[in-house]
Amino acid sequence: MAASTTMGDYQTQSSWRPRLGSALRTALACTIVGCTTLYGPPQLRKYLTYPSFSYMTTILIVPDAKLGDVLRSCWHVMYASVQVMVPSVLTLWLVGPKNFDTLLAAVAVAVSAFVVALPESTHLMSKRIAFGQLVNVYVGTVVHGAQTGVVMHPLGVAASTALGALASVLALLFPYPRLAYFEVKKSWRMYAENASQRLTRFVEAVSAQDKREALEFISQEQSLSKAAAKLHQSISNNLVGMVWERPQMKFLKPNYMKLGEQLQETEIPLRGMEIALSSCSSFPLNLIDEELRGHLQSSEVQISLRLLQSRYSMPSDATTAPETNREILDNALWIGKPTTTNHDNMAASFFLYCMELLLENQPIARNPGNTLKSNPNQEPSGVQNQAHCNFKRVWKNIMPSLRSLVFALKCSLALGLAVLFGLIYNKENGYWAGLTIAIGFVTGRQATFTVTNARAQGTAMGSVYGVLCLFLFQGIEHFRLLPLIPWIFFTHFLRHSRMYGQAGGISAAIGALLILGRENYGPPSEFAIARMTEACIGLICFVLVEIVFHPMRAVTLARNELSKSMGALRDCIKDINLCVPASAGLREKQRKLKSHLKKLENFLREAETEPNFWFLPFKGASYSKVLGSLSKMADLLLFVACETEFLSQVTQKLGGASEELRQHMNADLELLKEKINSSLKCLEEVTSIKSVAAFETEAQDDYHDSELGKPANPFRILGAGDEEVEIIVSILLQQFEEVADNVHNSDSEEKRKSQMVLCLASLGFCIRSLTSETMEMEKQVRKLVKWESPSRHKKFLNICCKADALDAHT
């Protein structure tokens, strides 16, 4: 198959070829550092007092970086050096190097780390480099005592850091610059080919004559979709580095920075096609006859041609798109067919609607610019938003947020304790307790135990490898750098593994570099044991501080984030309206929902690797299914926003019976929204409840309120067989069919009729899908509650039964 061949080529190319080139540049940067610090001129080497930190700097900067990323990292190195040099020189001058002891060094590191970590505008790379420099400055002062130079000692730390940054730049220039700009163009070209192949698979699937053939095409598309997600991520990651390579782009071609948003305009309709096909129960589809199948293939050729032509110039470049032949819409081959009375026909109509979006290249993910007419005397909203954002940015720099305050306290305590206990255990090697954790801090949460385990194992592997290589190279120490090259290649691939990740790969590389890349540190075996012990001290301090500041398990955070996602989804459902154009508000709330889903995905990924200890095993499958339903509903909401906006505008122009029928449709839609939101409200509460008794009391209070004539229990569960909901959906779809018939019999132009009928059928599919996904989420939440607390699940079912009886009574 052509698709599988292309997919295999992409996986092969994305897995080993770029990583091999990045590993080569990393090895070259480390070789430059090693040759300079071991064999360089003595006049230069006397300023490079901390070659270990030169290696650490290269390992932080070079792997997987483009030239723009390295230039940006060099700026961060310069900024961090200034942050550390000035206060450390003043501190050493005021206190005096001979007066520094273990406790004072720990306090100095803790206070300085807090000051460095507090500004939210400072990049994480700058903070990591500064943390490492602080450890070297103050621990080195304790180690060397009165011999420490007030200016020369911090200057040696800064010079060693600068060597690592310079070596990184030289490595990225050899044998030719690895530019982020070309990586973006390459990824865009591959994405265009990928999108074209996915569209071809979709058209073949919708035209399939049996279900087995359709499922085979859908399976091929899903493989291509995973590759598209990687390409999209690659483009997003390289956009910032591209600006550092060509600063004029930010001003001359600002659309380059919105390339990720523009890719969404292609990706969202493709996801809609996948949703439509995956919901079809049988093939061939009745709506797709031979004539419509031919027009679909013609449209697929046109869209693919546009995508393939765009391979040679990204969407931000000025290119002339080929004109599209609108036979599908103009001929309106589906008018007069039952598009809303059959689920498969609705799914096929939604597929055609997504094809229309691709043909017209409509910005479905962005707010339409001509939805509302602005007041000429009013300042443009974009200017107001820009002024508001500037004010918030200035205020953020002045007043740190709670998140940055917690991060600063966490870094301060962890580094202070690591330096204190590291110096107490071994004064000569007290650096490594602090340095082990200094370069690994992140601003948010991370899988603490998994990362700590990976760092410990990586440190041990690298140290053992270094000791063994020195044993094998006895008598030929001048070639001690040679065994580093294969090890750097190995660790570079190791950092992309699921078992060790970035933390393990970095620790393994540094572990060998500190033994093979330096001299005059004593017997290698003793140093390796001392460093591994110091690393364990630092990691223990890191874990304890992380537990203090983040005591909640990832599973608990995932459950709470799931509850917030349910609430955000309820807010989106409330904004669905056929009478009032509210697409801008719905799109904004949909973005909020997507941000919650991103956090939920991160928590679930962390929970998968989190040790269970004495807790129940993590039920990842059910959480993943709920996340899948929420993601599907979030995608459908974008289509709903586009459809309702179009319908509200067109039906107002038709007037008469269509306007009256639209009012009835909106009334039934409000009733259905109430049912869905009641279910979501219950799911939101049960996933965030802290006490079952509180939930039961609230439900009991609602029961008594209903006896007194007050509104019924709001915690209403849809249920897989809720006949009332099915009746409401059926009535709503019948009204859609009536509107479609009125449009068919109206005097409007054929193109407008076609758009109306297609839009009504697509909206019907989206509403039915939202309802069915809510029911599916309810099933999975019931399983989760039953798994995590059987007694809680029993009470939950009793409450739901009370709610059902309550609704029947009222």
Side-chain angles (χ1 to χ4, degrees):
M1 286 287 183
S4 59
T5 303
T6 304
M7 182 61 191
D9 292 343
Y10 168 74
Q11 286 180 333
T12 302
Q13 191 177 19
S14 64
S15 60
W16 71 268
R17 191 174 177 181
R19 294 176 188 174
L20 193 64
S22 181
L24 177 63
R25 289 180 168 91
T26 306
L28 178 59
C30 292
T31 303
I32 293 173
V33 171
C35 292
T36 304
T37 55
L38 292 175
Y39 313 116
Q43 295 82 0
L44 176 63
R45 289 166 56 188
K46 71 177 182 179
Y47 293 104
L48 305 175
T49 52
Y50 289 91
S52 59
F53 201 66
S54 301
Y55 289 120
M56 288 185 174
T57 304
T58 59
I59 295 298
L60 282 178
I61 293 177
V62 178
D64 300 324
K66 316 304 182 294
L67 182 60
D69 300 322
V70 172
L71 294 176
R72 182 180 57 163
S73 297
C74 289
W75 165 253
H76 295 150
V77 166
M78 186 186 306
Y79 183 75
S81 300
V82 172
Q83 272 189 311
V84 172
M85 278 284 294
V86 175
S88 60
V89 169
L90 290 175
T91 303
L92 292 177
W93 178 68
L94 290 173
V95 178
K98 64 180 180 180
N99 297 323
F100 259 83
D101 57 8
T102 299
L103 181 60
L104 187 57
V107 172
V109 169
V111 173
S112 301
F114 180 84
V115 174
V116 168
L118 190 58
E120 199 166 355
S121 58
T122 305
H123 195 273
L124 182 61
M125 176 67 78
S126 290
K127 295 179 181 180
R128 288 177 171 178
I129 296 293
F131 293 155
Q133 289 179 333
L134 288 171
V135 171
N136 282 325
V137 168
Y138 292 115
V139 174
T141 303
V142 175
V143 172
H144 299 295
Q147 299 177 358
T148 305
V150 173
V151 177
M152 295 305 297
H153 177 54
L155 184 62
V157 175
S160 300
T161 312
L163 173 63
L166 179 61
S168 301
V169 174
L170 294 177
L172 262 292
L173 294 175
F174 179 85
Y176 53 86
R178 189 186 182 193
L179 298 177
Y181 176 78
F182 292 124
E183 291 293 326
V184 170
K185 293 196 71 171
K186 174 184 173 184
S187 297
W188 165 246
R189 183 173 65 253
M190 296 178 68
Y191 178 83
E193 296 174 356
N194 178 285
S196 175
Q197 293 179 11
R198 290 164 65 193
L199 182 62
T200 301
R201 295 297 170 268
F202 281 137
V203 173
E204 290 173 341
V206 80
S207 306
Q209 297 302 309
D210 59 77
K211 190 170 184 178
R212 182 194 60 79
E213 183 182 2
L215 291 177
E216 182 179 350
F217 287 127
I218 294 174
S219 176
Q220 292 178 14
E221 187 282 330
Q222 289 174 346
S223 298
L224 291 169
S225 179
K226 294 177 182 179
K230 294 179 181 179
L231 290 169
H232 193 184
Q233 186 64 40
S234 174
I235 291 173
S236 300
N237 292 340
N238 286 315
L239 286 177
V240 178
M242 188 171 66
V243 175
W244 279 84
E245 295 168 357
R246 300 185 177 187
Q248 69 276 12
M249 268 186 194
K250 191 172 183 179
F251 307 99
L252 300 180
K253 295 184 178 181
N255 287 334
Y256 272 110
M257 302 310 296
K258 299 179 181 179
L259 185 57
E261 297 179 7
Q262 295 176 22
L263 289 179
Q264 286 294 324
E265 308 304 340
T266 302
E267 188 65 25
I268 291 172
L270 291 174
R271 286 208 301 265
M273 291 179 178
E274 183 179 356
I275 292 173
L277 291 174
S278 61
S279 65
C280 293
S281 57
S282 62
F283 290 88
L285 300 174
N286 295 329
L287 187 67
I288 309 297
D289 56 19
E290 193 64 34
E291 186 177 5
L292 187 54
R293 189 176 297 117
H295 287 303
L296 274 174
Q297 292 172 351
S298 174
S299 298
E300 179 263 320
V301 170
Q302 295 172 36
I303 298 172
S304 296
L305 179 62
R306 185 181 68 201
L307 288 170
L308 293 176
Q309 285 183 350
S310 68
R311 292 181 303 172
Y312 305 103
S313 60
M314 289 184 287
S316 302
D317 292 323
T319 56
T320 303
E323 295 185 4
T324 56
N325 184 5
R326 301 297 309 280
E327 292 183 41
I328 292 183
L329 286 177
D330 295 340
N331 292 340
L333 301 174
W334 54 79
I335 286 188
K337 297 182 181 180
T339 54
T340 60
T341 55
N342 180 276
H343 179 73
D344 286 350
N345 284 346
M346 285 194 299
S349 300
F350 184 63
F351 183 93
L352 296 173
Y353 179 76
C354 295
M355 181 70 81
E356 177 196 351
L357 293 176
L358 283 176
L359 275 171
E360 293 190 341
N361 201 20
Q362 293 185 11
I364 184 174
R366 287 175 279 175
N367 293 331
N370 56 352
T371 303
L372 298 173
K373 293 183 180 179
S374 59
N375 187 348
N377 298 324
Q378 185 178 3
E379 187 180 8
S381 59
V383 177
Q384 292 178 343
N385 292 336
Q386 184 67 29
H388 181 66
C389 291
N390 291 336
F391 175 77
K392 288 179 66 177
R393 190 179 299 112
V394 172
W395 180 256
K396 183 185 294 185
N397 292 334
I398 297 175
M399 293 296 295
S401 64
L402 178 62
R403 180 186 179 186
S404 62
L405 186 62
V406 170
F407 175 70
L409 287 172
K410 181 176 69 174
C411 297
S412 174
L413 282 177
L415 283 172
L417 291 174
V419 169
L420 176 64
F421 293 116
L423 285 171
I424 290 175
Y425 174 75
N426 188 326
K427 183 178 178 181
E428 296 297 325
N429 292 295
Y431 302 94
W432 311 115
L435 287 176
T436 300
I437 63 175
I439 60 175
F441 284 109
V442 296
T443 52
R445 277 183 62 95
Q446 58 182 331
T448 305
F449 291 100
T450 304
V451 169
T452 303
N453 179 52
R455 287 179 185 169
Q457 291 191 36
T459 300
M461 284 194 301
S463 301
V464 171
Y465 178 82
V467 172
L468 289 177
C469 289
L470 282 184
F471 175 77
L472 294 175
F473 279 75
Q474 285 181 356
I476 49 174
E477 285 81 1
H478 292 293
F479 297 97
R480 61 194 304 163
L481 292 178
L482 288 179
L484 280 174
I485 297 176
W487 183 250
I488 289 174
F489 275 77
F490 171 72
T491 56
H492 192 83
F493 283 89
L494 195 69
R495 60 185 287 146
H496 292 281
S497 67
R498 184 173 298 180
M499 179 179 292
Y500 290 97
Q502 188 179 40
I506 290 175
S507 298
I510 292 175
L513 283 166
L514 295 181
I515 294 177
L516 293 173
R518 298 188 307 141
E519 293 178 328
N520 305 322
Y521 53 81
S525 299
E526 294 181 9
F527 171 77
I529 294 173
R531 182 176 179 272
M532 284 190 285
T533 306
E534 291 283 345
C536 289
I537 292 173
L539 292 175
I540 291 172
C541 296
F542 169 77
V543 171
L544 291 176
V545 172
E546 283 285 341
I547 291 175
V548 169
F549 282 93
H550 301 290
M552 297 182 70
R553 300 178 66 231
V555 179
T556 305
L557 291 172
R559 187 166 60 246
N560 291 341
E561 195 61 40
L562 176 60
S563 176
K564 294 178 183 178
S565 300
M566 296 288 184
L569 179 59
R570 281 198 307 115
D571 292 337
C572 292
I573 298 294
K574 289 178 183 177
D575 264 19
I576 300 176
N577 197 302
L578 296 178
C579 295
V580 180
S583 61
L586 181 55
R587 282 184 171 93
E588 188 63 35
K589 292 181 178 179
Q590 191 266 354
R591 292 191 192 98
K592 181 180 178 182
L593 172 60
K594 293 291 283 187
S595 68
H596 282 294
L597 295 183
K598 185 65 176 177
K599 293 178 182 177
L600 176 59
E601 185 180 3
N602 292 334
F603 287 140
L604 294 181
R605 192 181 299 114
E606 180 183 346
E608 289 283 358
T609 60
E610 190 178 51
N612 294 319
F613 292 121
W614 52 86
F615 301 100
L616 287 172
F618 175 60
K619 198 75 171 178
S622 295
Y623 275 104
S624 297
K625 289 180 180 179
V626 175
L627 177 61
S629 295
L630 286 169
S631 300
K632 184 176 178 180
M633 295 175 78
D635 292 335
L636 288 172
L637 285 168
L638 278 178
F639 294 102
V640 171
C642 190
E643 292 156 356
T644 54
E645 181 190 355
F646 175 77
L647 289 175
S648 66
Q649 293 175 353
V650 174
T651 51
Q652 285 178 357
K653 295 179 181 179
L654 292 176
S658 296
E659 177 65 22
E660 182 179 353
L661 192 57
R662 183 166 70 97
Q663 299 289 342
H664 289 299
M665 285 193 310
N666 196 65
D668 290 328
L669 180 61
E670 290 295 327
L671 185 59
L672 180 61
K673 284 163 52 180
E674 183 181 349
K675 296 289 184 182
I676 294 176
N677 278 335
S678 296
S679 177
L680 292 175
K681 174 69 175 177
C682 185
L683 298 180
E684 179 185 357
E685 293 292 330
V686 79
T687 50
S688 67
I689 199 69
K690 297 179 180 178
S691 169
V692 180
F695 186 49
E696 193 169 22
T697 301
E698 191 169 0
Q700 193 66 32
D701 290 342
D702 288 327
Y703 179 80
H704 292 312
D705 290 342
S706 67
E707 293 292 335
L708 298 175
K710 296 181 181 180
N713 190 346
F715 303 127
R716 180 73 168 88
I717 300 296
L718 284 177
D722 197 318
E723 296 180 358
E724 185 180 358
V725 174
E726 290 295 333
I727 291 173
I728 296 174
V729 173
S730 299
I731 293 174
L732 193 59
L733 295 179
Q734 288 176 3
Q735 291 173 343
F736 284 174
E737 188 71 22
E738 292 180 29
V739 174
D741 292 338
N742 290 343
V743 171
H744 179 54
N745 298 324
S746 68
D747 297 330
S748 302
E749 58 177 328
E750 289 298 322
K751 180 179 177 180
R752 182 68 68 180
K753 290 181 184 180
S754 170
Q755 290 177 327
M756 276 289 294
V757 174
L758 195 61
C759 193
L760 284 167
S762 301
L763 181 59
F765 172 81
C766 292
I767 290 174
R768 180 180 283 277
S769 297
L770 289 173
T771 306
S772 61
E773 290 300 327
T774 304
M775 294 179 180
E776 180 62 27
M777 283 195 301
E778 180 195 328
K779 292 180 186 177
Q780 299 303 326
V781 171
R782 285 177 186 264
K783 290 181 181 179
L784 287 173
V785 174
K786 183 177 181 179
W787 170 259
E788 294 173 357
S789 178
S791 60
R792 181 180 172 190
H793 174 255
K794 187 175 181 180
K795 293 185 178 182
F796 173 57
L797 292 179
N798 291 336
I799 293 168
C800 295
C801 292
K802 289 179 183 178
D804 290 338
L806 197 59
D807 287 339
H809 178 71
T810 55

